[in-house]
Amino acid sequence: MIRTRAIGTGSYVPHRVVTNEEIARPLGLAPDQIYRLTGIRERHWAADHEASSDMAIEAGRQALLAAGCEASAIEAVIVSTTSPDAVFPSTACYVQRGLGCKRVGAFDVSASCSGFLYGLSMAQAMIESGQIRTCLVAASEVKSRFLDPKDGATAMLFGDGAGALVLRGEEDRSLEMRGILGIRLRADGSRHELIRVQAGGSRKPSSQATVERHEHTLRMQGASLYRAAIRRIEQAVQDILKEFGVDLREVKQVVLHQANGRILAQIADRLAIPQDRLSSVIERYGNTSSASVPIALDAAVRGGAIAPGDLVLMGSFGGGLTWATGLVRW
């Protein structure tokens, strides 16, 4: 059978480092308070000339290099972002051009922080149905441009960055069945108000009034989202492990959305995930939305925490509400 395998990972964060000292001043907080609340010491913000596609291109180059794959071999480009370069064309089209891929399919996925796993699911379906053989999936976010520096619920959390994965369809006759075992996607649109940008779409177009009311900034109901994230991810992880008959002790690395250090700690405690098996880059990069899972995945692969044959569990949660899990044998 055809199995979708990850053959290369990559990531990129902007050069500008934003410390808690810089974030704390407009909020009237001490820097150590931010760390206690979030587990974040610093994050990276894009330069004025950097857009989401620029970062996705850099992450994509790293992934192609790691895969030993030429851009000309890519048969589809999928980009997860909720901070696109423009309303249209898609950010994926900019990435396709920037990487020098052929005139292949390129499109965006918008599923907030769950977008990377949504994109992986689309790529898996395309590969295993025979439409394509090799695909680049990237997630790239410039959340810093949607923040109100005086909003304590969001200003301290978000950073910018991109991560990418090269996937290839390969015949697999091994008993281990390496590759993507399964990805499960979920959503609950009745909770859409928990995290959103109110204006700028067709429901509430941009106007002088929306700008003056700061309706183009990210708003979040932190406490409610915190509780929902923990419940949904805990249940989703249990469900996918049960579906595939896997004991959590068999999983070599758990890569979850890097939303908040306290959320990661709570989920790890509830599921009894050992600290050395939980990927965490939250302290250095903050919450990079849908890019956080591929950035953390790339760090784990390059750091030697994930090796061929290892079981890897991924999970994410974000606006929509959306959440997703994935099980992969590397």
Coordinates of all heavy atoms in Angstrom, one line a residue, residues 11-14 39-45 157-161 258 280-289 292 295-296 299:
S11 N 12.3 24.8 9.6 CA 11.7 25.8 10.3 C 12.5 27.1 10.1 O 13.6 27.1 9.7 CB 11.5 25.5 11.8 OG 12.8 25.3 12.4
Y12 N 11.8 28.2 10.4 CA 12.4 29.5 10.4 C 11.7 30.5 11.3 O 10.5 30.4 11.5 CB 12.3 30.1 9.0 CG 12.7 31.6 8.9 CD1 14.0 31.9 8.7 CD2 11.8 32.6 8.9 CE1 14.4 33.2 8.6 CE2 12.2 33.9 8.9 CZ 13.5 34.2 8.7 OH 13.9 35.6 8.7
V13 N 12.5 31.3 12.1 CA 11.9 32.3 12.9 C 12.7 33.6 12.5 O 13.9 33.6 12.2 CB 12.1 32.0 14.4 CG1 11.2 30.9 14.8 CG2 13.5 31.8 14.8
P14 N 12.0 34.8 12.6 CA 12.6 36.0 12.3 C 13.8 36.3 13.2 O 13.9 35.8 14.3 CB 11.5 37.0 12.4 CG 10.3 36.3 12.4 CD 10.6 34.9 12.9
G39 N 5.1 30.7 30.6 CA 6.2 29.8 30.3 C 7.1 30.3 29.1 O 8.0 29.6 28.6
I40 N 6.9 31.6 28.7 CA 7.6 32.2 27.6 C 8.6 33.2 28.1 O 8.3 34.0 29.0 CB 6.6 32.9 26.7 CG1 5.6 31.9 26.1 CG2 7.4 33.6 25.5 CD1 4.4 32.6 25.4
R41 N 9.8 33.1 27.7 CA 10.9 34.1 28.0 C 11.1 35.1 26.9 O 11.4 36.3 27.1 CB 12.2 33.4 28.3 CG 12.1 32.6 29.6 CD 13.5 32.2 30.1 NE 13.5 31.3 31.2 CZ 13.3 31.7 32.5 NH1 13.2 33.0 32.7 NH2 13.3 30.8 33.4
E42 N 10.9 34.6 25.6 CA 11.1 35.5 24.5 C 10.4 34.9 23.3 O 9.9 33.7 23.3 CB 12.6 35.6 24.1 CG 13.3 34.3 23.8 CD 14.8 34.5 23.6 OE1 15.4 35.4 24.3 OE2 15.4 33.7 22.8
R43 N 10.2 35.7 22.3 CA 9.5 35.3 21.0 C 10.2 36.1 19.9 O 10.9 37.1 20.2 CB 8.0 35.5 21.1 CG 7.5 36.9 21.1 CD 7.6 37.7 22.3 NE 6.8 37.2 23.4 CZ 7.2 37.3 24.7 NH1 8.4 37.8 25.0 NH2 6.4 36.9 25.7
H44 N 9.9 35.7 18.7 CA 10.5 36.4 17.5 C 9.4 37.1 16.7 O 8.4 36.5 16.5 CB 11.3 35.4 16.6 CG 12.5 34.8 17.3 ND1 13.8 35.0 16.8 CD2 12.6 34.0 18.3 CE1 14.6 34.3 17.6 NE2 13.9 33.7 18.5
W45 N 9.7 38.3 16.3 CA 8.7 39.1 15.5 C 9.3 39.4 14.1 O 10.5 39.7 14.0 CB 8.3 40.3 16.2 CG 7.3 40.1 17.3 CD1 6.8 38.9 17.7 CD2 6.7 41.1 18.1 NE1 5.9 39.1 18.8 CE2 5.8 40.4 19.0 CE3 6.8 42.5 18.2 CZ2 5.1 41.1 20.0 CZ3 6.0 43.2 19.2 CH2 5.1 42.5 20.0
L157 N 1.7 36.5 24.5 CA 1.7 35.1 24.0 C 2.4 34.9 22.6 O 3.2 33.9 22.5 CB 0.3 34.5 24.0 CG -0.4 34.2 25.3 CD1 -1.8 33.7 25.0 CD2 0.4 33.1 26.0
F158 N 2.1 35.7 21.7 CA 2.3 35.4 20.3 C 3.6 35.8 19.7 O 4.1 36.9 20.0 CB 1.1 35.9 19.4 CG -0.1 35.2 19.7 CD1 -1.0 35.7 20.6 CD2 -0.4 34.0 19.0 CE1 -2.2 35.0 20.9 CE2 -1.6 33.3 19.3 CZ -2.5 33.8 20.2
G159 N 4.2 34.9 18.9 CA 5.4 35.1 18.2 C 5.2 34.8 16.7 O 4.1 34.3 16.3
D160 N 6.2 35.1 15.9 CA 6.1 34.8 14.4 C 7.0 33.7 14.1 O 8.1 33.5 14.7 CB 6.4 36.0 13.6 CG 5.5 37.2 14.0 OD1 4.4 37.0 14.4 OD2 6.0 38.4 13.8
G161 N 6.7 32.9 13.0 CA 7.6 31.9 12.6 C 6.9 31.0 11.6 O 5.7 31.1 11.3
Q258 N 2.1 24.7 20.8 CA 2.8 25.4 21.8 C 2.0 26.7 22.1 O 2.4 27.8 21.8 CB 4.2 25.8 21.4 CG 5.0 24.6 20.8 CD 5.5 23.7 21.8 OE1 6.3 24.0 22.7 NE2 5.0 22.4 21.8
S280 N 8.9 20.8 23.6 CA 8.6 22.1 24.1 C 9.6 23.2 23.6 O 10.8 23.1 23.9 CB 8.5 22.2 25.6 OG 8.1 23.5 26.0
V281 N 9.1 24.1 22.8 CA 9.9 25.3 22.4 C 9.2 26.6 22.8 O 9.6 27.6 22.3 CB 10.2 25.2 20.8 CG1 11.0 24.0 20.5 CG2 8.9 25.2 20.1
I282 N 8.2 26.5 23.6 CA 7.4 27.6 24.0 C 8.3 28.7 24.7 O 8.1 29.9 24.5 CB 6.3 27.2 24.9 CG1 5.3 28.4 25.2 CG2 6.8 26.6 26.2 CD1 4.4 28.7 24.2
E283 N 9.3 28.3 25.4 CA 10.1 29.3 26.2 C 10.9 30.2 25.2 O 11.0 31.4 25.5 CB 11.1 28.6 27.1 CG 11.9 29.5 28.0 CD 12.7 28.7 29.0 OE1 12.2 27.7 29.5 OE2 13.8 29.1 29.3
R284 N 11.3 29.7 24.1 CA 12.1 30.5 23.1 C 11.3 31.2 22.1 O 11.7 32.3 21.6 CB 13.1 29.6 22.4 CG 14.2 29.1 23.3 CD 15.2 28.2 22.5 NE 14.5 26.9 22.1 CZ 14.9 26.2 21.1 NH1 15.8 26.6 20.3 NH2 14.3 25.0 20.8
Y285 N 10.2 30.6 21.7 CA 9.4 31.1 20.5 C 8.0 31.6 20.8 O 7.4 32.2 19.9 CB 9.4 30.0 19.4 CG 10.7 29.5 19.0 CD1 10.9 28.2 18.8 CD2 11.7 30.4 18.7 CE1 12.2 27.7 18.4 CE2 13.0 29.9 18.3 CZ 13.2 28.6 18.1 OH 14.4 28.1 17.7
G286 N 7.5 31.4 21.9 CA 6.1 31.7 22.2 C 5.1 30.9 21.4 O 5.4 29.9 20.9
N287 N 3.9 31.5 21.3 CA 2.8 30.8 20.6 C 2.9 31.3 19.1 O 2.6 32.4 18.8 CB 1.5 31.2 21.2 CG 0.3 30.5 20.5 OD1 0.4 30.1 19.4 ND2 -0.8 30.5 21.2
T288 N 3.3 30.4 18.2 CA 3.4 30.8 16.8 C 2.2 30.2 16.0 O 2.3 30.0 14.8 CB 4.7 30.3 16.2 OG1 4.9 28.9 16.4 CG2 5.9 31.1 16.7
S289 N 1.1 30.0 16.7 CA -0.1 29.6 16.1 C 0.1 28.3 15.3 O 0.7 27.4 15.8 CB -0.7 30.7 15.2 OG -2.0 30.4 14.7
S292 N 3.4 26.4 15.2 CA 4.1 25.9 16.4 C 4.4 24.4 16.3 O 5.4 23.9 16.8 CB 3.3 26.3 17.6 OG 2.2 25.4 17.8
I295 N 7.3 23.8 13.9 CA 8.6 24.3 14.5 C 9.1 23.4 15.6 O 10.3 23.0 15.6 CB 8.4 25.7 15.0 CG1 8.2 26.7 13.9 CG2 9.6 26.1 15.9 CD1 7.8 28.1 14.3
A296 N 8.2 22.9 16.4 CA 8.6 22.0 17.5 C 9.0 20.7 17.0 O 9.9 20.0 17.5 CB 7.4 21.8 18.5
A299 N 12.5 21.0 15.6 CA 13.5 21.0 16.7 C 13.7 19.6 17.2 O 14.9 19.3 17.6 CB 13.0 22.0 17.8

